[in-house]
Amino acid sequence: MPTPTTSITPNQLAAYGVSGLVTCALVGYFAWALPDALSRGREGVRRTREAPCQVLRPTAQNAVLGRLPQPAPDFALKTHDGQEVKLSSLRGRVVLVNFWATWCPTCVVEEPSLERLATQMKNKPFSLLAVSVDENWDLVRQHFPKGSAMTVLLDKDKAVPKAYGTEKFPESFLIDRDGNIRYFVVSERQLWHTQEVRSCIDALIEE
């Protein structure tokens, strides 16, 4: 017997056409929306992970560098024993640059917190560069009779702080692993050693 054939009516054909158009539209919409949704999702995760750093009350814009993030100006300074430390050689590590001086009362106030942070993070890819603008190493050495957990550098000419727009002390710059300044902190903070700040630094390390 001949196999019976099934005919498609004009109404069915129209319905199939509409269904196909709807499917194409939905596919197109999701293809357009997905990248934006993923981007917003990543931004949300970043904001959540870095939110603890807001405890430091960072300043969003720097008079010389502009609105952050910005590439950190490179520099090379020496430790008390003549070892040169170049900022760009620390790529792959999160770096906190703190500009200070022994004659600066507020610098001295926040110093114990910075020391504790340097000790707490010593086994992680993190460096704390304490850049003194004192006149000579004798003053700095007298200030640290037992040494320091921080990497202490000297810039008696104040050339590096000037490149960062720093004229009053202390000021601090938190730099990510790619060498970009992410946070700019004006004046002293006694919160550097807290869990909130360590969580923020850990988030930058894990990026």
Side-chain angles (χ1 to χ4, degrees), residues 109-143:
V109 166
E110 77 168 348
E111 186 181 290
S113 183
L114 289 165
E115 287 278 5
R116 290 177 64 183
L117 174 64
T119 300
Q120 292 164 344
M121 302 292 288
K122 66 180 180 180
N123 294 321
K124 295 190 177 185
F126 171 78
S127 296
L128 202 167
L129 307 183
V131 179
S132 169
V133 293
D134 282 282
E135 294 181 1
N136 56 62
W137 271 116
D138 287 339
L139 294 169
V140 178
R141 278 193 288 263
Q142 290 169 16
H143 188 74

Side-chain angles (χ1 to χ4, degrees), residues 78-89:
K78 292 183 179 181
T79 62
H80 71 94
D81 57 0
Q83 180 181 354
E84 185 177 85
V85 176
K86 191 171 184 179
L87 179 63
S88 57
S89 71

Side-chain angles (χ1 to χ4, degrees), residues 40-196:
R40 284 187 280 109
R42 287 192 294 268
E43 179 65 13
V45 169
R46 185 188 68 79
R47 288 179 180 273
T48 299
R49 293 176 68 185
E50 295 188 18
C53 259
Q54 297 308 312
V55 73
L56 291 169
R57 305 191 307 278
T59 300
Q61 187 157 330
N62 177 283
V64 169
L65 302 174
R67 189 165 187 83
L68 303 178
Q70 290 287 346
D74 197 14
F75 61 83
L77 295 171
K78 292 183 179 181
T79 62
H80 71 94
D81 57 0
Q83 180 181 354
E84 185 177 85
V85 176
K86 191 171 184 179
L87 179 63
S88 57
S89 71
L90 299 176
R91 293 289 169 81
R93 301 174 67 86
V94 173
V95 180
L96 177 62
V97 177
N98 173 256
F99 295 119
W100 71 287
T102 61
W103 44 259
C104 163
T106 51
C107 299
V108 175
V109 166
E110 77 168 348
E111 186 181 290
S113 183
L114 289 165
E115 287 278 5
R116 290 177 64 183
L117 174 64
T119 300
Q120 292 164 344
M121 302 292 288
K122 66 180 180 180
N123 294 321
K124 295 190 177 185
F126 171 78
S127 296
L128 202 167
L129 307 183
V131 179
S132 169
V133 293
D134 282 282
E135 294 181 1
N136 56 62
W137 271 116
D138 287 339
L139 294 169
V140 178
R141 278 193 288 263
Q142 290 169 16
H143 188 74
F144 294 110
K146 297 182 179 180
S148 174
M150 305 180 290
T151 299
V152 182
L153 306 170
L154 180 63
D155 180 17
K156 63 181 181 180
D157 297 324
K158 302 183 180 65
V160 177
K162 184 177 180 180
Y164 280 71
T166 296
E167 296 181 351
K168 296 181 180 180
F169 305 93
E171 287 188 357
S172 300
F173 297 80
L174 188 56
I175 302 168
D176 66 23
R177 297 170 65 186
D178 295 323
N180 296 310
I181 298 171
R182 298 287 283 273
Y183 295 101
F184 167 43
V185 180
V186 179
S187 192
E188 58 86 17
R189 300 289 187 274
Q190 299 178 53
L191 302 167
W192 292 108
H193 65 284
T194 62
Q195 181 61 53
E196 289 87 351

